[in-house]
Every structure is written in C-alpha cells, then in structure tokens.
C-alpha cells in the first residue's frame, strides 16, 4: 500500500527501531510510547484493521499474538503486559494498518480510557 506508514516500516523504506522480524511480521518501538515498553506488532500484509481480517489471515493473527509472547520474553516483561488492538477511529485507531500494541513496564489500569 502506497502511503501506508506501517507498510513502509515493514518494507524498510522508513526507519524504525525494530525488535523482531520474520517474513510475515515486523515489530518496532512506538514513536510516542505510552509505557516504558511500547512495541507495535504489524503483519507485512496490509490489512486495514482486525475487522477486515479474512479467514485466510487466521494463522497470521495467531503468529502476531505469538510474536507478542516472544517479544515480551525477550524484553523481560513476560509476566505482566497488555496486548491491545484499536479497531476503528472511535476505538483509538489512528494508523489504518492492523497492529497490536504491546505495553508493559508500569501498572495498567482497568477499564482502559
Ligand atoms: P493506533 O492509534 O492504535 O492506530 O496506534 C498507532 C501507533 O503508531 C501510535 O501509538 C503511534 O505513536 C505509532 N506510530 C505512528 N507512526 C509511527 C512510526 N513512524 N514509528 C513508530 N510508531 C509510530
Ligand atoms: Zn499498510
């Protein structure tokens, strides 16, 4: 997708601080972190949001979740982290390329804002 910031990061067209990469996924530090650990996990495939994922994306979605588990371990936060997908503008989604936020390193509140 032209003009998609996360496609550009996944395609190494623009820089990001990568923490994990496979042929299907990329994960990098959020530019505007909301916690001491704030990682964005994206599929290399351009999917706009979770509600637009298709049946053939099920394995990819599972791999994104497992990547979160591996990254949390690598960064030493496996015992306490939060995994968030904002789906749609009113839910807080600002970048229209599916991503999970992996947040850790501080006390998390519930319910979220
Ligand atoms: P959301 O608001 O759920 O769509 O999350 C988008 C996230 O991407 C925000 O937390 C932004 O800070 C982050 N973000 C936007 N552009 C970049 C970038 N170029 N590199 C790293 N993180 C970014
Ligand atoms: Zn994209």
């Amino acid at each position: 997708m032209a003009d998609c910031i996360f496609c550009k990061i996944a395609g190494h067209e623009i820089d990001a601080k990568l923490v994990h990469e496979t042929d299907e996924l990329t994960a990098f530090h959020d530019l505007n972190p909301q916690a001491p650990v704030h990682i964005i996990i994206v599929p290399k495939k351009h999917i706009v949001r979770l509600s637009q994922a298709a049946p053939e994306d099920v394995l990819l979605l599972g791999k994104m979740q497992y990547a979160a588990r591996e990254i949390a371990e690598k960064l030493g936060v496996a015992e306490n982290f939060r995994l968030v997908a904002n789906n749609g503008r009113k839910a807080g989604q600002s970048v229209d390329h599916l991503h999970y936020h992996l947040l850790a390193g501080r006390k998390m509140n519930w319910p979220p804002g």
Side-chain angles (χ1 to χ4, degrees):
M1 263 290 283
D3 288 338
C4 171
I5 190 100
F6 287 173
C7 279
K8 285 182 178 166
I9 290 174
H12 302 131
E13 288 173 55
I14 65 168
D15 282 338
K17 211 173 146 200
L18 302 190
V19 289
H20 184 85
E21 186 172 27
T22 70
D23 54 345
E24 291 179 288
L25 305 172
T26 304
F28 49 90
H29 289 270
D30 196 292
L31 212 52
N32 182 26
Q34 301 302 312
V37 173
H38 188 171
I39 305 297
I40 299 289
I41 303 165
V42 305
K44 291 191 173 177
K45 177 180 177 182
H46 182 84
I47 299 169
V48 173
R49 53 185 173 272
L50 190 54
S51 59
Q52 292 198 6
E56 63 263 28
D57 298 322
V58 166
L59 186 56
L60 179 60
L61 294 171
K63 287 178 180 177
M64 288 174 68
Q65 217 163 308
Y66 197 79
R69 174 250 185 279
E70 290 181 308
I71 294 161
E73 179 105 40
K74 183 174 170 179
L75 299 183
V77 297
E79 293 308 310
N80 295 283
F81 65 84
R82 183 173 287 178
L83 194 61
V84 175
N86 296 326
N87 185 94
R89 286 285 176 273
K90 287 184 185 166
Q93 185 174 8
S94 63
V95 177
D96 287 336
H97 178 127
L98 172 63
H99 51 282
Y100 287 156
H101 297 257
L102 170 62
L103 297 147
R106 66 167 168 82
K107 171 87 170 64
M108 299 289 165
N109 298 315
W110 196 263

